[in-house]
Amino acid sequence: RPWLFFHLTSQTYAPTALSLFFFNNSLFLSLSQLHLLSPFKYSQNHSYRYPSLLGLSIFTLHAMAIDCISNIASMTHLPKDEKKDEQKKLVFDASVLKFESQIPKEFIWPDDEKPSANAPELQVPLIDLGGFLSGDPVATMEASRFISEACQQHGFFLVVNHGVDAKLLADAHKYMDNFFLLPLRQKQRAQRKLGEHCGYASSFTGRFSTKLPWKETLSFRYSAENNSSKMVEDYLVNKMGNELRQLGRVYQDYCEAMSKLSLGIMELLAISLGVGRAHFREFFDKNDSIMRLNYYPPCQKPDLTLGTGPHCDPTSLTILHQDRVGGLQVFVDNEWHSISPNFEAFVVNIGDTFMALSNGRYKSCLHRAVVNSHKPRKSLAFFLCPEGDKVVTPPAELVSQNSPRVYPDFTWPMLLEFTQKHYRADMNTLQEFSNWVQQRNS
C-alpha cells in the first residue's frame, strides 16, 4: 500500500499545506493548516526538496506527483503498460481548471484559430413560427421564404413563438446544473467510451491530444419510435443511478418537444425547396437523434482556447437553446460573427446530412463557441438524425441536368462512424466523407 505525501507551505500567509497522496491507483488532494514546515517526502526515506514552492499551480504539482509516482511505480501492483497510461492521462476537471492562470498546452489553439476579439454581431433572421403552427398559409409561405434565404447564405436562423413550454425550458437548464456541478468522479459513471457518441465527456481528452475544447458534455440517444417513450430516462438511470430519474424524465420530455419542433421545421424546409411538403417530415418521422448538454466553464485565458472548435454539424438539423451568456459564433462572409443569446428563441442550423439531402442547395453552418473568464455558459443541443436504414439521397425535384448529384448516397450510421473513428468533424467533413465513401465503393 504505497502512500505518497507532498506538503506545500506558505511563508506569506497562514501556514497551509497542499497534500497529494497516491493510493489504490488514485491521486488525491487535500488542503490543511500546518504549523511545521515540511519538505516533499515519500516512503522508504526518499525526499524531494524544491527551493521555492510559492506560486506553483495545481498542474505543476500534478506533474511533480506523476514524476515521483514513476519512481515508486515498482512498488505498486499496476502492470507496466497501465503505469505508463496512468502517467500520460490528462483529465479535464472544470472545478480545478476554471481557476488556473496557466492552462495546459493541449487546450491552446493555433494563432490563426484563436478567438477573434470583438467579433461583430450577426443580424440573424428571426422567424416567427406562430402563423405556421396555427395553419396560416400566408405566414407559412413567408416563414419558408426567410428560411430559404438564410439557408442559401449561411444555413443559420432563429425561431420564436415555437410552441415549446417555458417551464420545460427552465427545467432543462436547471437540471444541467444538477449534473455538471457533481464531482468529476460521479459524472464519470456515465463516461463516454472511445468510438461511441453517447455518455459524459470531459473535453476530448483520451481521443485527441491537441486543440482540445474547453467544455464538458453529456450526450444520449433519442428515438421517436413508439416503444422508446422512456429511452432517455432509462439510459440516465442505468448510468448514474436512480437519483437522476427525474433528470431523465425532464430530458425525455425535452427531446420529444425538440423532435416535434424539428419535424415542423422540416415541413418549412420542404416548402422552401419546392418539394412535397411532407417529404422531409416523413423521412425524419421516426428519427434516431442525439441530445447533448454542453457546459463551458470559465477560463482564465479565454483568448488562447475555444469552447468548441470551428465545425459543421455532421447531423441533419441542430436546434440549440442557449442560456443568457454569449459565446456562439458563426462564420459568414469570411468573418466570425457573434450571436447574442435570446432565451425566447431557438437557434437552428443546417447540418451536413441535410446539405446532402438538399443536393448542396442549403449550406451546412460553420460555427464555433468561445469562452469567458467570468461565467459558465450552458446550451442544449438537439441533433436531428434519420433512422439508421434511411438512405440519404436528394428528392428527384432537386436533381437535374443543370443540378447533378453532388454527394453519394449514404446512411447516417456511416457518417457517424466516420466522425467517431476516422475524422475529427470540421468545416470539410462532408467532402472528406464523400471521398471516403467513393473510395470504399470503388
Side-chain angles (χ1 to χ4, degrees), residues 249-424:
R249 289 172 181 161
V250 167
Y251 291 120
Q252 180 76 45
D253 292 344
Y254 186 85
C255 287
E256 290 171 2
M258 292 303 99
S259 178
K260 181 179 178 181
L261 178 58
S262 298
L263 296 180
I265 293 172
M266 280 296 160
E267 280 193 42
L268 289 171
L269 287 168
I271 294 169
S272 70
L273 284 166
V275 302
R277 176 171 178 156
H279 181 88
F280 294 127
R281 183 184 187 101
E282 291 173 354
F283 187 82
F284 289 99
D285 185 50
K286 295 182 179 178
N287 63 87
D288 192 347
S289 298
I290 302 168
M291 181 70 209
R292 179 167 298 154
L293 316 182
N294 297 306
Y295 180 81
Y296 304 91
C299 177
Q300 298 308 310
K301 296 290 183 181
D303 56 325
L304 300 181
T305 191
L306 288 170
T308 300
H311 70 286
C312 298
D313 293 332
T315 49
S316 300
L317 191 74
T318 302
I319 300 185
L320 181 81
H321 195 268
Q322 305 183 81
D323 64 6
R324 293 180 171 87
V325 179
L328 179 62
Q329 294 186 346
V330 176
F331 196 71
V332 179
D333 297 330
N334 296 314
E335 185 179 17
W336 286 105
H337 295 259
S338 64
I339 307 298
S340 295
N342 181 342
F343 204 77
E344 306 302 318
F346 282 101
V347 176
V348 182
N349 68 263
I350 299 298
D352 288 339
T353 301
F354 194 84
M355 186 172 177
L357 278 172
S358 72
N359 201 31
R361 295 197 186 186
Y362 284 177
K363 292 183 179 180
S364 186
C365 175
L366 178 59
H367 57 286
R368 70 182 185 182
V370 301
V371 294
N372 67 81
S373 60
H374 308 296
K375 292 182 178 180
R377 175 176 174 262
K378 297 170 294 179
S379 66
L380 299 149
F382 180 82
F383 301 102
L384 182 71
C385 310
E387 286 179 283
D389 61 351
K390 292 279 190 179
V391 178
V392 177
T393 188
E397 297 94 323
L398 302 182
V399 181
S400 66
Q401 188 173 358
N402 294 327
S403 300
R405 286 290 301 276
V406 180
Y407 307 104
D409 286 351
F410 62 91
T411 63
W412 163 241
M414 291 169 60
L415 179 51
L416 179 61
E417 178 192 357
F418 181 72
T419 59
Q420 294 301 311
K421 298 181 179 179
H422 305 288
Y423 192 83
R424 182 174 181 173

Side-chain angles (χ1 to χ4, degrees), residues 38-94:
S38 304
F40 283 123
K41 289 185 178 181
Y42 64 85
S43 60
Q44 295 191 340
N45 296 320
H46 294 287
S47 67
Y48 279 68
R49 297 174 184 271
Y50 294 87
S52 175
L53 300 176
L54 295 178
L56 292 180
S57 71
I58 292 294
F59 272 91
T60 306
L61 290 170
H62 182 78
M64 291 177 179
I66 294 301
D67 179 61
C68 290
I69 287 169
S70 66
N71 292 327
I72 65 167
S74 60
M75 300 190 301
T76 76
H77 59 275
L78 285 173
K80 184 176 180 180
D81 291 342
E82 194 172 336
K83 295 169 195 170
K84 185 177 180 181
D85 291 342
E86 189 77 22
Q87 294 176 49
K88 290 184 175 180
K89 188 175 181 182
L90 174 66
V91 177
F92 182 82
D93 187 346

Side-chain angles (χ1 to χ4, degrees), residues 20-57:
L20 297 91
F21 55 93
F22 180 71
F23 179 62
N24 285 350
N25 307 342
S26 298
L27 190 66
F28 295 86
L29 294 86
S30 65
L31 290 169
S32 59
Q33 296 295 314
L34 289 184
H35 299 287
L36 295 174
L37 300 181
S38 304
F40 283 123
K41 289 185 178 181
Y42 64 85
S43 60
Q44 295 191 340
N45 296 320
H46 294 287
S47 67
Y48 279 68
R49 297 174 184 271
Y50 294 87
S52 175
L53 300 176
L54 295 178
L56 292 180
S57 71

